[in-house]
């Protein structure tokens, strides 16, 4: 139960990061996070952890960086916030 709650908190925080970076709604932030997970075959919680680390100054793995850019571009009408 604690693991699930912790995972949910990390996902919510990552949605917040994507919302700020992409200037998108929280619903779109979740959609972007889900798309990244599906397109890279990386668990949603692991993608969320990488996004949070990126917000704290760490580099994103190349595969995630490209997918974040692509997903945000799809949801921002062509702007590339990263």
């Amino acid at each position: 139960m604690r693991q699930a709650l912790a995972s949910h908190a990390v996902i919510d925080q990552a949605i917040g990061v994507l919302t700020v970076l992409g200037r998108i709604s929280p619903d779109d932030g979740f959609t972007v996070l889900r798309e990244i997970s599906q397109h890279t075959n990386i668990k949603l919680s692991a993608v969320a952890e990488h996004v949070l680390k990126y917000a704290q100054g760490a580099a994103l793995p190349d595969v995630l960086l490209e997918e974040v850019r692509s997903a945000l571009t799809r949801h921002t009408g062509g702007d590339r916030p990263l």
Side-chain angles (χ1 to χ4, degrees):
M1 182 68 129
R2 289 181 192 184
Q3 177 74 15
L5 289 175
S7 176
H8 185 63
V10 168
I11 291 168
D12 284 346
Q13 291 171 7
I15 291 169
V17 169
L18 292 171
T19 298
V20 170
L21 289 176
R23 294 180 222 108
I24 56 177
S25 71
D27 286 341
D28 283 342
F30 179 73
T31 300
V32 165
L33 195 63
R34 187 183 69 230
E35 287 176 4
I36 295 165
S37 174
Q38 290 173 343
H39 293 177
T40 60
N41 200 30
I42 299 172
K43 288 186 177 186
L44 187 70
S45 59
V47 172
E49 288 177 15
H50 282 290
V51 169
L52 288 181
K53 289 177 184 175
Y54 175 77
Q56 297 170 346
L60 278 174
D62 289 339
V63 67
L64 286 180
L65 181 59
E66 288 306 313
E67 192 54 45
V68 168
R69 286 180 175 160
S70 295
L72 285 175
T73 298
R74 286 191 296 273
H75 289 274
T76 60
D79 292 339
R80 290 187 67 123
L82 292 179

